[in-house]
Amino acid sequence: MCSCEESAVVGGMTKMACVLEPPLRMSVLSEVTASSRHYVDRLFDPDPQKVLQGVIDMKNAVIGNNKQKANLIVLGAVPRLLYLLQQETSSTELKTECAVVLGSLSMGTENNVKSLLDCHIIPALLQGLLSSDLRFIEACLRCLRTVFTSPVTPVELLYTDASVIPHLMLLLSRSVYAQEYICQIFAHCCKGPDHQTILFNHGVVQNIAHLLTSVSYKVRMQALKCFSVLAFDNPQVSMTLANVLVDGELLPQIFVKMLQRDKPIEMQLTAAKCLTYMCRAGSIRTDDNCIVLKTLPCLVRMCSKERLLEVRVEGAETLAYLIEPDVELQRIASITDHLISMLADYFKYPSSVSAITDIKRLDHDLKHAHELRQAAFKLYASLGANDEDIRKKIIEAEHMMDRIVNGLSETSVKVRLAAVRCLHSLSRSVQQLRTSFQDHAVWKPLMKVLQNAPDDILVVASSTLCNLLLEFSPSKEPILESGAVELLCGLTLSENPALRVNGIWALMNMAFQADQKIKSDILRGLSTEQLFRLLSDSDVNVLMKTLGLLRNLLSTRPHIDQIMSTHGKQIMQAVTFILEGEHNIEVKEQTLCILANIADGTTAKDLIMTNDDILQKIKYYVGHSNLKLQLAAMFCIANLTWNEEEGSQERQDKLREIGIVDILHKLSQSTDPNLCDKAKTALQQYFA
């Protein structure tokens, strides 16, 4: 069966139809609407036999003829066909032929499918599945398959009636065609965890597993595709799959057999996806031989330039997903079949028109060549996620930095996102930040991307900018000069927490060991109000990075004194607020470190010494049960008691009055050597 339309012509009463129906020849030549009306009119004939013949003739007229399909839909054929399909008085043969014609109409344009959906075709076909006649059931399933696999059909329509999925499970035993169509429907309509759970709870794994050994290749393939969408990002399904036996063999072993080179490419690739998703979901270890020696090499093979474009795209994207979290798999992939240089070919496609003799294929591939670039960027990003040597190899691939820079300005949003991800991955390299990134001035196109992009691109682009603003990056200076402060302050206002985190993180990196002017620009750009809004942000990552920014702003004495002279009151209020709040240890530790920095100022110290509430908090935390908090509070005390500084005697006396010296004596006996040393050093200030 190459398509349901061609196969529909074969069978009872169709050979005579072409002879009996002269308008057919006319419609082929001139597409006269009148002849189309003639087909519809015959559906209303009082003689059931003539209606049946009319439906059969309509079936033959629409095969491969999109204009005829559109004409019949406009003339109202669909409601009548659905009426006949649902009438109890209609013969099973008529119902079946109606389902076949509807299936043929659904194989036309997306507008055709929309028209069918508007006429409520899905409930009618689902009702048809309750019939006892297998041929009618198969015709309904075939049409449902075509409608559901159209991009305009809402997949939720499969799940509206809770009785549908169990009934489809029962129909799996009826025939090979039923198995093929039902698996295809499940594979296409499983979009996310909710659908996976529904199908899983209805026993889809057990019902479909044995189909992997079916005599029909189409059934095996559709069952395999079904398992790939069920396992994706789903530990529960993946764990179950790992333990299912089919004819005494575990499912992963069956998948591995399907990876063999003598199997069709589509089967190899889909089996590799199943194993990849099971591995990522935690049901197969990353060092298992079926991943290292079978799945990974198979996916690398799929990236070869001998493969079709869509196979190369899917192979690279699946491999990127497989190796993304695992440095050992990244290393193995990077040295398998010259993968890094193989991916360079993804940017040269199609290299010569003569390489593709099929014009239709060439036209298709030219329209989809951007998908190759997107897949290559994704795989490069995964390969370079952790290992410095791999990053170096990627950057040394021909014209790599130029390709990334070009990718940042492509019209396709997906390519831009993948290019930014690749850049982000490579920006983790200190060496590359100092060399290749500077040589190609990648900060310029990156800043351009940040001016106006969708959130998903902004998140990765701003993460990359965080790395470019590290103190050893030569790009830091020109980025500052190009108005980055204003842009990053703008990101902290975003409703998206990831953008707020990245905005504040980049400002934190910018403030590290910065001069007074940059720090003043950040404070001015951010505004005191926004800074304190961020300190009460519900997202703990935003709060931590804001505290990190404050800590970097309050470093070196002149800067500490200058900032505290203008913002001291608000900063002390924020510190009090956080130390009193229900925050985790890391947040409180960072806040105490800010206090320690303030205590290192010359005039800023007074803001602590004149605040009894803060002094009591320092006392509380130095005696706390958590070592990190004790050490952070100890830094505050050390800076306040340092006797070489003016006013140290008065500060020491005040701290003695509130009982801190007694605590220091106790801590000088601590079993923790670090805490013990700090306590002894602080005590020495009293006796020096």
Side-chain angles (χ1 to χ4, degrees):
M1 285 178 66
C2 104
S3 88
C4 73
E5 298 192 335
E6 272 97 319
S7 64
V9 187
V10 182
M13 301 182 67
T14 52
K15 288 183 181 174
M16 284 175 60
C18 294
V19 181
L20 289 170
E21 198 58 69
L24 234 184
R25 288 195 296 277
M26 260 175 61
S27 71
V28 170
L29 294 170
S30 57
E31 304 292 342
V32 179
T33 309
S35 69
S36 301
R37 182 171 291 285
H38 171 64
Y39 289 117
V40 179
D41 290 344
R42 290 172 67 194
L43 301 181
F44 293 87
D45 197 291
D47 182 347
Q49 201 55 40
K50 286 183 179 175
V51 173
L52 174 62
Q53 191 59 52
V55 174
I56 291 168
D57 293 344
M58 184 183 284
K59 173 178 71 178
N60 293 332
V62 297
I63 289 171
N65 189 334
N66 276 350
K67 191 162 187 185
Q68 184 69 280
K69 289 175 187 178
N71 283 344
L72 290 170
I73 289 170
V74 169
L75 291 168
V78 176
R80 183 62 181 169
L81 287 166
L82 286 171
Y83 172 79
L84 295 170
L85 181 130
Q86 294 175 91
Q87 273 299 94
E88 284 184 25
T89 53
S90 296
S91 67
T92 304
E93 187 179 4
L94 175 58
K95 289 179 178 181
T96 304
E97 293 296 348
C98 286
V100 170
V101 174
L102 288 164
S104 194
L105 294 175
S106 67
M107 279 190 160
T109 64
E110 288 182 4
N111 280 336
N112 289 7
V113 178
K114 283 179 187 169
S115 301
L116 294 170
L117 291 170
D118 290 342
C119 294
H120 307 292
I121 188 173
I122 287 178
L125 291 169
L126 291 173
Q127 191 65 30
L129 298 181
L130 299 173
S131 165
S132 58
D133 185 88
L134 180 58
R135 192 162 169 264
F136 178 45
I137 289 170
E138 287 177 349
C140 288
L141 283 172
R142 192 185 302 122
C143 186
L144 279 166
R145 179 273 313 267
T146 309
V147 172
F148 271 122
T149 52
S150 165
V152 299
T153 305
V155 295
E156 287 300 333
L157 292 172
L158 182 67
Y159 304 95
T160 311
D161 181 342
S163 66
V164 169
I165 304 290
H167 188 64
L168 288 171
M169 295 293 180
L170 291 173
L171 292 177
L172 279 167
S173 61
R174 293 296 303 269
S175 75
V176 168
Y177 289 133
Q179 291 166 352
E180 179 194 337
Y181 304 145
I182 291 168
C183 285
Q184 202 169 350
I185 290 167
F186 285 163
H188 191 80
C189 294
C190 185
K191 308 279 188 195
D194 291 346
H195 297 162
Q196 288 171 327
T197 302
I198 293 168
L199 292 170
F200 180 79
N201 289 343
H202 281 106
V204 71
V205 172
Q206 293 73 17
N207 280 295
I208 288 179
H210 71 281
L211 301 182
L212 290 170
T213 56
S214 167
V215 291
S216 161
Y217 171 73
K218 285 185 175 179
V219 171
R220 292 200 303 278
M221 256 328 296
Q222 294 306 333
L224 194 57
K225 285 180 179 175
C226 204
F227 281 129
S228 77
V229 296
L230 283 165
F232 180 70
D233 203 18
N234 194 313
Q236 183 187 26
V237 174
S238 293
M239 285 296 180
T240 305
L241 290 183
N243 297 304
V244 169
L245 282 169
V246 179
D247 298 339
E249 217 171 3
L250 286 167
L251 270 193
Q253 293 168 332
I254 293 173
F255 294 151
V256 168
K257 282 184 178 175
M258 291 174 160
L259 293 176
Q260 291 169 359
R261 290 169 189 258
D262 61 340
K263 296 289 188 286
I265 294 300
E266 178 190 32
M267 180 172 275
Q268 291 183 49
L269 181 53
T270 312
K273 284 169 79 172
C274 288
L275 290 161
T276 292
Y277 298 159
M278 289 173 73
C279 179
R280 283 298 307 266
S283 67
I284 301 177
R285 287 165 55 100
T286 54
D287 58 358
D288 191 298
N289 280 350
C290 79
I291 297 297
V292 177
L293 303 179
K294 301 289 183 182
T295 308
L296 187 148
C298 172
L299 289 170
V300 173
R301 285 202 305 276
M302 297 301 133
C303 298
S304 158
K305 62 180 170 189
E306 283 76 50
R307 302 275 171 249
L308 289 175
L309 177 142
E310 46 269 42
V311 172
R312 294 170 78 190
V313 168
E314 224 172 314
E317 292 193 339
T318 307
L319 182 56
Y321 184 66
L322 173 66
I323 68 175
E324 188 181 24
D326 192 273
V327 66
E328 198 47 46
L329 288 180
Q330 290 158 14
R331 286 178 184 140
I332 295 165
S334 72
I335 55 169
T336 302
D337 291 352
H338 308 289
L339 177 63
I340 290 173
S341 56
M342 195 193 295
L343 285 177
D345 289 332
Y346 276 46
F347 296 94
K348 305 172 188 171
Y349 188 84
S351 51
S352 68
V353 175
S354 59
I356 303 177
T357 49
D358 180 348
I359 295 299
K360 254 186 166 177
R361 167 53 64 176
L362 177 64
D363 182 53
H364 168 274
D365 285 5
L366 285 169
K367 285 176 185 165
H368 293 269
H370 67 278
E371 291 174 19
L372 278 174
R373 297 192 291 278
Q374 176 193 338
F377 283 137
K378 277 186 183 174
L379 185 44
Y380 277 137
S382 282
L383 283 164
N386 296 289
D387 189 283
E388 191 66 32
D389 291 338
I390 298 175
R391 288 187 197 121
K392 191 169 183 290
K393 281 183 194 168
I394 292 170
I395 284 176
E396 286 170 358
E398 59 178 306
H399 310 306
M400 189 60 209
M401 292 308 288
D402 292 333
R403 282 176 179 146
I404 294 174
V405 168
N406 292 337
L408 294 175
S409 57
E410 282 218 25
T411 50
S412 162
V413 173
K414 288 182 176 179
V415 177
R416 291 209 305 276
L417 177 57
V420 174
R421 279 200 174 128
C422 182
L423 191 65
H424 180 235
S425 181
L426 299 174
S427 74
R428 294 181 180 130
S429 162
V430 175
Q431 184 189 357
Q432 301 310 330
L433 282 175
R434 285 178 168 156
T435 54
S436 305
F437 275 54
Q438 186 61 12
D439 296 343
H440 291 81
V442 294
W443 65 269
K444 286 182 182 174
L446 186 66
M447 287 294 285
K448 198 173 173 186
V449 167
L450 282 160
Q451 304 295 334
N452 183 24
D455 270 15
D456 48 359
I457 291 181
L458 275 181
V459 169
V460 189
S462 53
S463 287
T464 311
L465 193 66
C466 288
N467 292 343
L468 292 180
L469 285 167
L470 290 165
E471 80 279 6
F472 50 74
S473 166
S475 306
K476 183 174 181 176
E477 210 59 48
I479 290 171
L480 284 169
E481 289 166 9
S482 69
V485 173
E486 187 183 347
L487 188 147
L488 294 169
C489 291
L491 288 183
T492 69
L493 297 164
S494 170
E495 289 181 11
N496 184 332
L499 286 177
R500 293 202 300 279
V501 168
N502 287 350
I504 206 75
W505 193 339
L507 289 169
M508 181 185 87
N509 287 352
M510 195 184 275
F512 182 75
Q513 294 183 351
D515 60 33
Q516 182 65 47
K517 183 190 178 303
I518 292 169
K519 291 182 178 181
S520 298
D521 288 347
I522 292 171
L523 276 169
R524 198 179 306 113
L526 205 52
S527 83
T528 315
E529 293 76 19
Q530 177 58 5
L531 183 64
F532 297 112
R533 263 199 297 273
L534 293 166
L535 286 170
S536 55
D537 200 288
S538 57
D539 189 297
V540 70
N541 294 317
V542 174
L543 174 55
M544 279 296 285
K545 291 293 175 274
T546 309
L547 290 169
L549 168 63
L550 256 182
R551 192 173 166 183
N552 286 351
L553 290 170
L554 294 165
S555 62
T556 74
R557 281 186 183 171
H559 297 177
I560 295 167
D561 290 334
Q562 200 277 324
I563 290 169
M564 291 307 289
S565 70
T566 53
H567 298 84
K569 187 182 174 187
Q570 297 98 316
I571 289 173
M572 295 306 285
Q573 280 175 349
V575 165
T576 308
F577 178 70
I578 292 167
L579 290 177
E580 285 176 353
E582 293 292 319
H583 294 290
N584 64 32
I585 298 296
E586 285 70 26
V587 167
K588 295 202 170 184
E589 179 192 18
Q590 188 81 296
T591 308
L592 287 166
C593 288
I594 289 169
L595 265 185
N597 282 14
I598 295 168
D600 191 39
T602 304
T603 56
K605 281 182 172 69
D606 297 341
L607 287 162
I608 295 176
M609 295 310 300
T610 55
N611 188 325
D612 290 340
D613 192 15
I614 286 288
L615 289 172
Q616 285 301 325
K617 284 180 171 49
I618 292 171
K619 178 186 172 182
Y620 168 75
Y621 284 110
V622 83
H624 200 274
S625 57
N626 184 279
L627 181 63
K628 283 183 178 178
L629 297 180
Q630 284 182 290
L631 284 168
M634 190 66 81
F635 277 114
C636 297
I637 293 166
N639 285 344
L640 291 171
T641 56
W642 200 250
N643 61 24
E644 291 175 13
E645 291 170 6
E646 192 180 331
S648 63
Q649 189 61 55
E650 290 85 349
R651 290 193 294 275
Q652 287 177 3
D653 291 345
K654 184 153 189 180
L655 292 177
R656 190 195 296 274
E657 277 172 34
I658 65 169
I660 279 179
V661 173
D662 296 337
I663 297 172
L664 291 176
H665 278 296
K666 278 185 198 166
L667 295 179
S668 66
Q669 308 300 314
S670 170
T671 53
D672 181 81
N674 202 1
L675 188 60
C676 174
D677 287 350
K678 294 279 185 296
K680 285 177 179 174
T681 304
L683 284 170
Q684 282 167 9
Q685 302 308 308
Y686 278 85
F687 308 116

